[in-house]
Amino acid sequence: MDVRYGFSATLTARPGLGRQLTELLLSGLDEGSPAASEHCLVCLVSRSASHPDVVHVVEGWSSEEEHYRVFAGQAAQALVVRVRELVAAQCGVHEASVRRP
């Protein structure tokens, strides 16, 4: 499968919660979680070395439709609620789709 849709986001956790936010995002890779879907082909989560409450997320999906289908599910929505509780600011979200002839 090829990556046809992806996004990246930079999130700033509430003060002192960068590690907890990172761990929560990585839990999205657990069995039954959104990033464990066969359609999530890439999931990178990292923390800034100089600003430990800044977390970067990059995901690559087989299609935009699969991404939105998975994130409409109950497990993904529950994860999103928990992430929002830890986030002080969302610094940027970038989406990209690959169209091939």
Side-chain angles (χ1 to χ4, degrees):
M1 241 185 283
D2 293 331
V3 171
R4 304 272 177 149
Y5 171 78
F7 74 89
S8 65
T10 300
L11 308 170
T12 301
R14 296 182 188 278
L17 297 179
R19 181 183 178 129
Q20 188 175 344
L21 177 58
T22 301
E23 290 172 357
L24 178 58
L25 290 166
L26 288 171
S27 77
L29 292 164
D30 294 344
E31 186 67 34
S33 296
S37 165
E38 66 180 321
H39 297 283
C40 181
L41 307 175
V42 176
C43 181
L44 304 172
V45 178
S46 64
R47 285 173 63 197
S48 170
S50 58
H51 302 286
D53 288 330
V54 174
V55 180
H56 305 280
V57 181
V58 177
E59 291 186 7
W61 289 77
S62 61
S63 71
E64 186 173 0
E65 295 78 19
E66 287 299 333
H67 171 264
Y68 285 105
R69 182 187 64 75
V70 169
F71 271 85
Q74 187 175 6
Q77 289 303 304
L79 182 64
V80 168
V81 167
R82 294 176 59 205
V83 166
R84 286 185 179 150
E85 292 171 355
L86 299 177
V87 172
Q90 185 169 310
C91 302
V93 174
H94 305 280
E95 297 181 75
S97 294
V98 176
R99 303 283 185 228
R100 295 192 181 171

